[in-house]
Amino acid sequence: MASIPTGVLGCGTISDRYFDATECFDEYEIVACADIDEELAKAKAEKYDLEPYDPEGLLDSAVEIVVNLTPPSVHAETCEQALDAGKHVYVEKPLALSLAEAQRILDKAKDAGRRVGAAPDTFLGAGLQTCRRVLDEGRIGDPIGATAVYTSSGHESWHPNPDFYYQEGGGPLLDMGPYYVTALVSLLGPVDRVTGSVTRPHDERTITSTPRHGEKISVEVPTHETGVLEFADGTVATLTTSFDVQDSTLPEPTFELYGTEGTLALPDPNHFEGPVRVSTHDSDGFEEVELTHEYTAGRGAGVADLARTIRDGEWSHRTSGNFATHVLEVLTSVRAASEQETHLTTERTPERPEPLPQTFPNESSRPSLD
């Protein structure tokens, strides 16, 4: 399959991980980049030997896929602009700020005959694909429950411009929650019912990173959020995400799946690799499982998944916009359930994504998803 020419819209901190990963795949090739800060786009283009554009120029260019790395507050707007320009779109998480925005993106893509893919794609990595194999083989029996915990003291301690993490579309649930919920839905299938409680202990935060050390920023969203997710298969999961925890004795990550015959210790869903560990009635504590898949590189697997779907009618689109919209519905329902003091039933029930092939045979030196 010929590589699909691809451009990156948004050259901020995360973009380097996409630029670095392009060499890992045959399915697409990043050939251009753009940013509203034209000097930043030029700097990235020079570093990675790309063609620099302003955002409008990128949409007028010959790229077929736009990788949208803009801030969450403009995901819907920029995705729609790319679709209007006839491009396929892969967008960083969250897909949009609301279900209404997400549905608008999906509707426009359908009308335009284009595809939408969305992060996170880490469930396509060796770690979580191995977990899928362990689960499907019945090694821990039937799933019963899961625990997912992400805690930190906040991104203002390391990010040079952390404002958007505390604005609409941010907060720990929409920033880190997608990794955990995407992983769980890829393993267990869709979520049926959600409840939750959230809080915001501070109205402003102080940046401790450079170059804005000491500057105060406002907080618009909850920063400590806990949900209970009831899956269609009967599994009940607890999810806690926080930017308000100074320290903890819990291991990082705390991410486990419990079954009738044992426990599966899941790897950090923010990464593509392992370790994967299993404890059963017959084992003496946890034993590490050999990875069944090869891919452990950085961001880009989801873009390759989209590219493969565009060119291969038999390929199942695992990181689809529909899948990401279900994850967004689950996450936003945690906050909505807290506000309404109730349980909420989800409306979207996507199929569980098919597992990837166990190996990546490829005649070239660059691995693909096949």
Side-chain angles (χ1 to χ4, degrees), residues 43-292:
K44 296 289 185 178
E46 182 176 355
K47 180 178 179 180
Y48 294 100
D49 193 23
L50 307 172
E51 188 71 27
Y53 290 97
D54 61 20
E56 293 78 11
L58 181 68
L59 298 187
D60 288 337
S61 74
V63 301
E64 296 181 38
I65 296 174
V66 170
V67 178
N68 187 352
L69 308 182
T70 60
S73 60
V74 295
H75 277 181
E77 175 187 353
T78 49
C79 283
E80 290 185 74
Q81 289 171 347
L83 292 166
D84 283 338
K87 313 301 183 185
H88 304 278
V89 179
Y90 183 84
V91 59
E92 255 298 336
K93 47 80 186 167
L95 173 61
L97 297 189
S98 68
L99 287 179
E101 287 187 348
Q103 190 60 55
R104 201 167 69 226
I105 293 170
L106 299 186
D107 290 343
K108 186 173 285 289
K110 182 178 180 180
D111 291 342
R114 293 294 180 263
R115 288 190 173 271
V116 174
D121 56 0
T122 45
F123 74 96
L124 299 178
L128 288 167
Q129 285 296 308
T130 298
C131 291
R132 175 67 179 265
R133 179 64 61 87
V134 169
L135 186 62
D136 288 352
E137 289 177 348
R139 293 181 61 176
I140 65 166
D142 296 326
I144 298 169
T147 298
V149 179
Y150 168 83
T151 60
S152 80
S153 59
H155 291 350
E156 67 272 23
S157 64
W158 61 271
H159 198 284
N161 294 293
D163 311 60
F164 70 92
Y165 289 112
Y166 299 99
Q167 298 168 351
E168 291 301 323
L173 191 63
L174 291 186
D175 178 49
M176 297 304 298
Y179 294 109
Y180 292 87
V181 174
T182 297
L184 289 172
V185 174
S186 76
L187 293 170
L188 301 169
V191 176
D192 267 356
R193 198 167 75 137
V194 179
T195 192
S197 291
V198 304
T199 187
R200 184 185 64 183
H202 308 289
D203 292 331
E204 62 180 20
R205 316 273 291 214
T206 302
I207 298 176
T208 56
S209 61
T210 57
R212 297 170 59 193
H213 188 279
E215 183 179 335
K216 294 186 181 299
I217 55 176
S218 61
V219 180
E220 301 174 356
V221 294
T223 51
H224 188 93
E225 311 181 78
T226 297
V228 178
L229 318 180
E230 300 177 17
F231 288 77
D233 73 347
T235 307
V236 177
T238 56
L239 169 69
T240 296
T241 62
S242 181
F243 287 161
D244 294 307
V245 176
Q246 299 304 314
D247 204 352
S248 174
T249 60
L250 294 175
E252 296 183 3
T254 300
F255 196 24
E256 296 178 333
L257 181 58
Y258 313 117
T260 54
E261 303 299 323
T263 295
L264 173 60
L266 303 161
D268 188 338
N270 191 23
H271 300 291
F272 290 87
E273 63 272 12
V276 176
R277 297 176 297 140
V278 173
S279 177
T280 67
H281 299 307
D282 301 323
S283 65
D284 183 17
F286 280 95
E287 299 175 351
E288 188 162 338
V289 177
E290 183 177 358
L291 298 181
T292 59

Side-chain angles (χ1 to χ4, degrees), residues 285-342:
F286 280 95
E287 299 175 351
E288 188 162 338
V289 177
E290 183 177 358
L291 298 181
T292 59
H293 292 68
E294 296 178 13
Y295 183 67
T296 59
R299 298 289 190 269
V303 185
D305 183 48
L306 170 62
R308 188 75 186 222
T309 305
I310 293 168
R311 295 287 170 87
D312 185 349
E314 300 299 318
W315 187 258
S316 174
H317 192 187
R318 293 160 174 84
T319 58
S320 70
N322 186 54
F323 182 75
T325 299
H326 176 67
V327 172
L328 178 64
E329 181 179 20
V330 171
L331 296 170
T332 55
S333 292
V334 172
R335 289 182 180 176
S338 179
E339 293 173 0
Q340 299 174 30
E341 300 180 353
T342 188

